[in-house]
Amino acid sequence: MAQDWTPRQLPSDISGFTGRADALVLLAGIRRDAPATVITGTADIGKTALAVHWAHQVAAHYPDGRLHLDLRGRATDPALTASEALSLLLQSLGVPGERIPLDLNLQMGLYRSVLANRRVLVVLDKALDVAHVRPLPSGHNCHALVTSLDTLTGLVVREGAARISLDTLAPAESVALTRRSLGCLSSCPRLVSQARGISSGSTSAVDQLLLPTHAGLVPAPCGLRCPS
């Protein structure tokens, strides 16, 4: 790893992140020596948003770099293999491509060596299963933050990872998310009422409230129109 190279790959945090207060408390209480934290839950529940938000909160604890890699465990394209993921992570840490071995075990050893005596946060998004992420070890002073539809129990039991399981948003958090996302349309009583039924932690669920499926529309204060 180049001594003057500090990767800062975290996606932008969500402006005005709303909800998940209980999960953030749990994340704050995770032992610093835990090798990894798993955030699990159903599709579109808000795992990635929470992971990125928390990663920004703790970024100062990892001055030697913050890595982010989409493992594509949910993508229509094939998921990244462990070897492909390690190659990308090593290159992100400043290792030239020609120095990266083809053998997976040698890649793992090089990755550990590069991370030794460094404090790096590694966000691994959309892991497919335990086998997908286990070959991606973190260093002694590093931490891996993993999101997955799978519970990754093997990573918790064998590797000592912490785990946070996301449920649907609380009703009050759903309403708060809707008010933040809809802006002036949050004055529409029908939309706010429907928000209490949102089961997801992402703004994609709020977007469904704006689909033109309502027969009656009334003017909103900002000039847009909301369901009557």
Side-chain angles (χ1 to χ4, degrees):
M1 178 175 177
Q3 295 299 315
D4 59 348
W5 174 248
T6 303
R8 296 181 176 87
Q9 296 182 341
L10 293 181
S12 299
D13 196 4
I14 295 177
S15 176
F17 182 89
T18 302
R20 298 300 180 197
D22 291 345
L24 288 169
V25 170
L26 292 174
L27 285 167
I30 290 172
R31 305 186 328 272
R32 291 291 180 197
D33 60 347
T37 298
V38 174
I39 299 178
T40 185
T42 58
D44 296 323
I45 200 79
K47 300 180 294 296
T48 298
L50 176 62
V52 170
H53 181 67
W54 187 71
H56 279 282
Q57 287 190 332
V58 299
H61 296 289
Y62 301 96
D64 297 316
R66 280 81 68 186
L67 301 178
H68 178 273
L69 182 61
D70 183 355
L71 297 174
R72 301 206 309 252
R74 284 188 57 205
T76 54
D77 295 331
L80 291 180
T81 66
S83 182
E84 290 171 334
L86 278 171
S87 179
L88 290 171
L89 290 170
L90 285 166
Q91 291 178 69
S92 296
L93 289 165
V95 179
E98 61 271 17
R99 286 188 50 204
I100 299 174
L102 298 178
D103 181 80
L104 177 61
N105 289 324
L106 291 177
Q107 288 179 336
M108 292 169 62
L110 178 58
Y111 186 60
R112 289 191 183 97
S113 298
V114 170
L115 291 181
N117 301 316
R118 299 186 184 278
R119 300 184 64 86
V120 176
L121 178 65
V122 185
V123 179
L124 302 172
D125 198 17
K126 301 180 181 66
L128 190 60
D129 51 29
V130 172
H132 196 195
V133 75
R134 178 169 280 150
L136 309 178
S138 58
H140 176 67
N141 292 317
C142 301
H143 195 80
L145 182 58
V146 186
T147 72
S148 180
L149 293 172
D150 191 89
T151 57
L152 302 183
T153 299
L155 204 65
V156 176
V157 173
R158 291 187 55 184
E159 314 298 334
R163 181 169 58 197
I164 304 292
S165 297
L166 293 189
D167 202 348
T168 56
L169 284 173
E173 291 182 329
S174 294
V175 172
L177 174 63
T178 302
R179 291 189 183 279
R180 179 185 64 79
S181 301
L182 300 184
C184 72
L185 284 176
S186 66
S187 63
C188 299
R190 183 169 177 179
L191 290 180
V192 173
S193 176
Q194 290 175 336
R196 293 185 173 88
I198 290 176
S199 60
S200 157
S202 64
T203 55
S204 61
V206 178
D207 292 341
Q208 298 301 310
L209 299 179
L210 295 179
L211 292 176
T213 58
H214 302 280
L217 297 174
V218 298
C222 58
L224 297 175
R225 303 180 74 81
C226 62
S228 60

